[in-house]
Amino acid sequence: MAKIGLFYGSTTGKTQDVAETIQKELGGDDVVAMYDIAEVEDSDFEQYSNIIIACPTWDIGELQADWSGYYDELDNINFSGKKVAYFGTGDQVGYSENFQDAMGILEEKITELGGKTVGHWSTDGYEFDESKAVKNGKFVGLALDEDNQSELTAKRIKSWVSQLKGEFGI
């Protein structure tokens, strides 16, 4: 069985593409099982002690549609004792006032449900005004901007995955 469950929502395919890249960097489907949040069962979360949550920010600081539809269902899941990493895609230029808010919204809820956040990421190299995903001066997870900084994505993923391997103990 895979050691990590990666749960993603993706409308345009960008977040799914990044999820697949992260899965490969972590060792493929033997290590990471991927779940489209639109098709997930609550019990899918229970089998993993290491979880990655992936959600783009939509509109003005909103969750992606499939995550929005599943948000209340998160209350049914016991995240106690689980390490949870986050990544999101967003546009820091066009939406500078709420860059990566979706990642912050999900992290706050899952933390309230007992999840332990891992995979914090520096805000260095980004230009935005506000974000619900920033706590104690760092993003709660990997922030990617495919619209304005796609040339940095591969390097950021490699660095973050290396960090996660240590934090997940794999």
Side-chain angles (χ1 to χ4, degrees):
M1 184 177 95
K3 299 174 182 161
I4 301 168
L6 192 161
F7 298 84
Y8 71 93
S10 191
T11 300
T12 64
K14 287 180 189 176
T15 303
Q16 181 176 356
D17 289 346
V18 172
E20 290 169 356
T21 300
I22 288 171
Q23 179 189 45
K24 287 177 192 160
E25 285 289 323
L26 281 165
D29 57 10
D30 288 343
V31 177
V32 181
M34 290 192 22
Y35 296 87
D36 184 336
I37 200 65
E39 300 171 6
V40 79
E41 300 287 330
D42 294 349
S43 60
D44 292 332
F45 286 90
E46 294 170 10
Q47 57 191 315
Y48 300 100
S49 57
N50 296 319
I51 294 173
I52 299 173
I53 301 292
C55 184
T57 300
W58 275 89
D59 296 323
I60 301 174
E62 301 294 323
L63 295 174
Q64 182 265 350
D66 298 324
W67 271 110
S68 182
Y70 194 80
Y71 186 77
D72 289 339
E73 299 299 313
L74 290 169
D75 290 330
N76 301 329
I77 300 161
N78 180 1
F79 285 96
S80 296
K82 297 183 184 298
K83 293 179 183 176
V84 186
Y86 302 84
F87 78 84
T89 53
D91 176 350
Q92 66 190 307
V93 175
Y95 297 92
S96 179
E97 299 293 322
N98 48 48
F99 180 57
Q100 299 291 343
D101 275 4
M103 184 167 54
I105 291 166
L106 288 169
E107 189 272 345
E108 180 177 30
K109 174 133 179 141
I110 291 170
T111 297
E112 289 172 1
L113 296 169
K116 179 185 184 307
T117 302
V118 298
H120 293 88
W121 188 252
S122 175
T123 58
D124 293 347
Y126 299 87
E127 293 184 33
F128 62 97
D129 293 314
E130 291 184 42
S131 177
K132 290 180 181 176
V134 174
K135 291 188 179 172
N136 300 317
K138 287 189 163 194
F139 286 112
V140 296
L142 177 62
L144 298 171
D145 184 343
E146 291 293 278
D147 296 324
N148 304 290
Q149 294 182 328
S150 60
E151 73 282 359
L152 300 175
T153 296
K155 180 181 176 186
R156 285 175 171 165
I157 289 172
K158 283 187 182 298
S159 179
W160 188 67
V161 164
S162 176
Q163 175 185 332
L164 274 190
K165 285 179 178 179
E167 292 183 84
F168 278 158
I170 59 168

